[in-house]
Amino acid sequence: MLQSPKLLNPAQVCNALDITPGNVKRLTMGGYLEVKGQLQFKNGLMNLFNSEQVEILIPKMPRIKQSWERSDNNRYGANRLASTRQQEHKSFQYMMKLKENYFNEIEHFPTTEKELLEACFYLYHLNHYAKAGNPYLYDLKELVLRSFVRSHLNKNNLLKVHFIEGDNKMLLCPNCKAKAEDRNLSYVEYLEKTGGCPACAREYKYYSLYEFIIAYRDYLFCFHTPYKTAKRWFDRTHLPPHKNSPRREGAYAFGRAIYNAEARAVELLEVVQKLQDFLAAYGIKPLIETKRLNAARV
């Protein structure tokens, strides 16, 4: 993806202003920062911001953060938030120690295993960033998972992939929608009772997905991606086996949104840069600019 050198993406803004993506949105909503452009990814839009406007904000951030704190204290209660901030600081320290220990432990592993586990660490956090309202990051997740398949599936014991079957997605036709409304039923209720009709649109295996398990020694990571996304990654003669799992309606909920202490300990710019460095070894070009604002000014 091409990005104008005068524009910064959310990861660059976070790094320049020492804030989390949630606070980038807060700056935007508060009128401090304007969206000056967007990049279209397969999975969503990425906002872009003027680098000069971001640079002007750098000396103003202490005052802005103080105003946020006062506003939050008035809204939620100073005593309650003081306890929350104290807990968040402890969580941040814990995350930093966990991160340090993790990389110290894998430092002397064989190169292949070390690089894979490092990528898994950052992919784990990328997934949390994506779930916090940044769906464009799923483009990067897909590239990383596909590189895992190409490099490790059926070649060693580091990666196992399973297929988890989910329901088909159905969209009621206009006639069935009218019938549902006549019977005072929601569209979901009508589908449950009637199953729709032949004219209703069906997206087969819409809620099915693939599960990727990376395991080495005491380390285990588990990632998921939709069937539609990854179905062409596999050799038809060696398709991933089905995993016995209870069938359920709708989507599977895996993962969570990133929380503030985690975002401070493992910055978005670091996550993107490390994963793109990992992909570079496979000849895959970067999706997202990671040049720091200070470096851009030199």
Side-chain angles (χ1 to χ4, degrees):
M1 295 284 177
L2 295 177
Q3 175 183 319
S4 167
K6 293 184 179 181
L7 297 176
L8 301 177
N9 59 52
Q12 293 172 297
V13 175
C14 287
N15 179 262
L17 301 180
D18 191 24
I19 57 176
T20 64
N23 283 334
V24 173
K25 294 175 183 177
R26 191 166 186 176
L27 285 174
T28 304
M29 293 176 64
Y32 294 104
L33 196 59
E34 297 177 64
V35 176
K36 292 295 187 180
Q38 291 181 317
L39 278 182
Q40 178 68 61
F41 288 78
K42 187 182 86 172
N43 288 290
L45 290 169
M46 181 178 74
N47 289 334
L48 299 172
F49 307 90
N50 185 280
S51 60
E52 293 181 358
Q53 191 176 35
V54 172
E55 193 168 359
I56 290 171
L57 281 176
I58 293 175
K60 296 180 180 180
M61 284 311 300
R63 178 178 56 80
I64 293 173
K65 289 179 180 179
Q66 287 175 356
S67 71
W68 286 346
E69 184 173 333
R70 287 194 300 270
S71 175
D72 291 343
N73 285 343
N74 291 333
R75 184 175 182 182
Y76 302 108
N79 291 337
R80 177 184 174 187
L81 285 185
S83 176
T84 299
R85 293 186 186 106
Q86 185 178 32
Q87 186 59 43
E88 184 177 304
H89 182 66
K90 290 181 180 179
S91 180
F92 166 72
Q93 291 178 316
Y94 170 77
M95 284 295 305
M96 289 297 292
K97 190 65 177 177
L98 194 69
K99 178 181 176 183
E100 180 184 2
N101 289 342
Y102 179 82
F103 285 107
N104 285 340
E105 288 168 1
I106 70 171
E107 175 63 29
H108 302 293
F109 285 1
T111 301
T112 297
E113 286 77 0
K114 174 188 171 184
E115 291 178 350
L116 180 61
L117 289 177
E118 180 176 313
C120 285
F121 175 88
Y122 287 111
L123 186 60
Y124 171 80
H125 295 289
L126 180 85
N127 207 44
H128 295 168
Y129 275 112
K131 287 184 179 293
N134 305 291
Y136 65 91
L137 293 172
Y138 286 122
D139 284 41
L140 184 55
K141 176 185 178 180
E142 290 173 14
L143 288 176
V144 174
L145 287 178
R146 190 169 189 178
S147 74
F148 288 176
V149 171
R150 289 177 173 176
S151 302
H152 301 289
L153 189 62
N154 300 322
K155 296 179 181 179
N156 53 47
N157 294 320
L158 297 172
L159 172 67
K160 288 183 171 52
V161 182
H162 299 102
F163 173 73
I164 300 176
E165 189 167 1
D167 284 340
N168 302 322
K169 182 179 181 180
M170 290 189 61
L171 299 174
L172 292 179
C173 66
N175 188 40
C176 283
K177 287 181 179 180
K179 289 180 179 179
E181 292 167 3
D182 289 342
R183 295 167 60 177
N184 292 320
L185 295 174
S186 70
Y187 295 159
V188 173
E189 290 171 334
Y190 184 83
L191 268 175
E192 290 175 349
K193 290 180 179 293
T194 68
C197 74
C200 294
R202 290 166 172 79
E203 293 188 49
Y204 292 99
K205 296 186 179 180
Y206 183 86
Y207 293 112
S208 297
L209 50 82
Y210 287 105
E211 178 181 75
F212 300 77
I213 298 176
I214 297 91
Y216 181 69
R217 295 191 182 179
D218 295 331
Y219 299 94
L220 186 146
F221 290 88
C222 184
F223 304 104
H224 300 87
T225 202
Y227 164 80
K228 185 177 180 180
T229 296
K231 64 182 180 180
R232 292 187 177 87
W233 297 358
F234 307 102
D235 186 333
R236 289 181 177 273
T237 61
H238 294 89
L239 292 175
H242 281 61
K243 180 176 182 178
N244 292 327
S245 180
R247 289 291 296 274
R248 52 172 287 180
E249 295 180 1
Y252 290 80
F254 290 109
R256 58 165 173 79
I258 198 158
Y259 52 85
N260 283 339
E262 179 186 2
R264 288 171 55 206
V266 190
E267 290 186 46
L268 178 56
L269 192 71
E270 176 188 3
V271 170
V272 172
Q273 189 167 42
K274 291 294 186 180
L275 289 175
Q276 292 186 158
D277 287 347
F278 173 79
L279 291 171
Y282 300 93
I284 300 173
K285 295 181 179 179
L287 278 181
I288 300 169
E289 179 61 65
T290 56
K291 183 182 293 184
R292 286 163 168 76
L293 179 60
N294 288 337
R297 292 202 302 261
V298 173

